[in-house]
Amino acid sequence: MTVSKKGKKKMIYRADFSISSSSSKLISPVIFGAIADKVFELTDEKQAKELVFDMAQNVLISDALPSEEEEDDFTRYFYVPRIIPPYEDDQNSLSLREKRELARKNKKLAKSISLVEIDNSGILKEADPSKVKNPVDFYRIGIQVNRKSGASEEGIFFYHQEFRFSKKQCYSIYIQCKKPSLVNKIEECFKVIELTGFGPDVSIGKGKISFLRHNQRILCRDKVTEQFFDSEPDTEKEYVNIASTILFDKTVSACQFKSYQTFRYDSKGYDVFKPPYFCAERGSVVVPKGKDLSFLIEYKGRFIYTCIFPLRLIQIGGEKI
């Protein structure tokens, strides 16, 4: 695998961790929000705003993706779409029924996801899905509590989504940073998150997270993943997006989404309900139109971060998966 020579090489860092449960989905916008929340706790408001804006303009953050650490190796797992095989030249010889069956088969393939892996050798290959233990999501019934009396409100129930993770499964967050000075700030935020918990409901035991250390640091430079990243993406090449991207006007203008699945994600601030997010899930095929791929959108005084994090994961052995 040869390193792209386009533009100045930007460093990619990796944070490895394990987590037991979370009340938030571990997607790129939520991870950035958790970092930004700690920035405001650690610095005054003016400096915090400046730093968050600086991060939003210079940092790409992936979803939390499965990984596996061994004694002498480290394996990174990525989700990629299963590419539909090209139509054969003799399509006209098929009957109408055969064409319909082929169309149904390809439609199912278009919705399926494959797992690929990259170890420290830098070789991209298909992975065995059984190696990854996926989180389980479920809904917990909650009651509303009167903050003044401490009593529960009669007849007011709500369903709260939670995610449980295997204790044996390692996860990684990939961070591409244009400004090395921001790396230490992000690491400082991760240290606080490790002490206080990730996301909401930490007071009832959710979001307990433990970061692995590499030479006593949480963030380590991942030169292997850097080999699959283009600082200045080819505007005619297909990439795999390793971040779940909110489909705002700015994101769809900056990138062509060619193959993707969408999901709705609802979130709220401390006193402002944010609109539901419609995201293109990680693993989508994208064609970036430029190199500015991170965005900060304001909504009622709150800021929502999203990004496109393209890696060259389409090709295996020179052929599409």
Side-chain angles (χ1 to χ4, degrees), residues 34-45:
I35 295 170
D37 182 54
K38 299 309 173 188
V39 169
F40 277 91
E41 289 183 11
L42 296 170
T43 58
D44 64 76
E45 186 174 355

Side-chain angles (χ1 to χ4, degrees), residues 164-183:
R164 288 184 180 175
F165 302 83
S166 170
K167 295 180 180 179
K168 297 180 180 180
Q169 182 62 62
C170 178
Y171 290 90
S172 297
I173 299 169
Y174 300 87
I175 298 174
Q176 188 272 318
C177 195
K178 297 178 184 177
K179 297 175 69 172
S181 60
L182 295 175
V183 175

Side-chain angles (χ1 to χ4, degrees), residues 86-252:
Y87 285 105
E88 302 294 336
D89 295 333
D90 60 348
Q91 282 287 304
N92 293 330
S93 63
L94 298 178
S95 66
L96 180 59
R97 181 177 180 178
E98 290 172 330
K99 288 181 180 179
R100 285 177 176 173
E101 289 177 351
L102 181 60
R104 292 191 190 102
K105 179 182 177 181
N106 287 341
K107 188 176 181 179
K108 289 181 179 179
L109 283 174
K111 294 181 179 180
S112 63
I113 296 293
S114 295
L115 189 70
V116 297
E117 64 178 61
I118 307 171
D119 58 20
N120 285 344
S121 68
I123 298 174
L124 174 67
K125 56 185 177 181
E126 291 192 72
D128 180 2
S130 65
K131 291 183 177 180
V132 172
K133 298 176 177 62
N134 293 317
V136 177
D137 64 311
F138 66 99
Y139 288 86
R140 172 174 56 85
I141 298 177
I143 58 174
Q144 184 170 314
V145 176
N146 187 308
R147 299 299 179 187
K148 293 182 179 180
S149 66
S152 61
E153 298 285 0
E154 186 176 353
I156 300 179
F157 297 92
F158 62 89
Y159 289 92
H160 194 85
Q161 187 178 22
E162 294 182 2
F163 303 89
R164 288 184 180 175
F165 302 83
S166 170
K167 295 180 180 179
K168 297 180 180 180
Q169 182 62 62
C170 178
Y171 290 90
S172 297
I173 299 169
Y174 300 87
I175 298 174
Q176 188 272 318
C177 195
K178 297 178 184 177
K179 297 175 69 172
S181 60
L182 295 175
V183 175
N184 290 335
K185 295 291 184 182
I186 295 173
E187 172 137 358
E188 186 178 356
C189 292
F190 279 153
K191 288 180 179 178
V192 177
I193 289 171
E194 187 174 41
L195 294 173
T196 60
F198 178 89
D201 295 336
V202 294
S203 61
I204 58 173
K206 307 302 177 185
K208 290 183 179 179
I209 189 170
S210 177
F211 287 98
L212 279 65
R213 288 337 194 244
H214 303 274
N215 295 323
Q216 299 184 343
R217 291 183 63 89
I218 292 176
L219 288 171
C220 65
R221 186 176 174 186
D222 193 338
K223 294 183 179 180
V224 173
T225 304
E226 285 177 3
Q227 298 178 33
F228 295 85
F229 179 77
D230 290 339
S231 301
E232 296 183 10
D234 189 330
T235 56
E236 296 183 356
K237 182 182 290 186
E238 294 179 350
Y239 297 82
V240 171
N241 185 13
I242 61 171
S244 290
T245 303
I246 302 174
L247 297 174
F248 288 122
D249 290 341
K250 289 184 178 180
T251 54
V252 296

Side-chain angles (χ1 to χ4, degrees), residues 9 21 26 28 30 50 57 77-79 81 131 153 195 221 262 264 281 287 293:
K9 189 69 180 176
S21 65
L26 302 183
S28 171
V30 175
E50 291 175 354
Q57 293 174 350
Y77 294 105
F78 298 98
Y79 297 98
K131 291 183 177 180
E153 298 285 0
L195 294 173
R221 186 176 174 186
T262 58
R264 170 176 166 158
E281 192 172 20
V287 180
L293 299 174

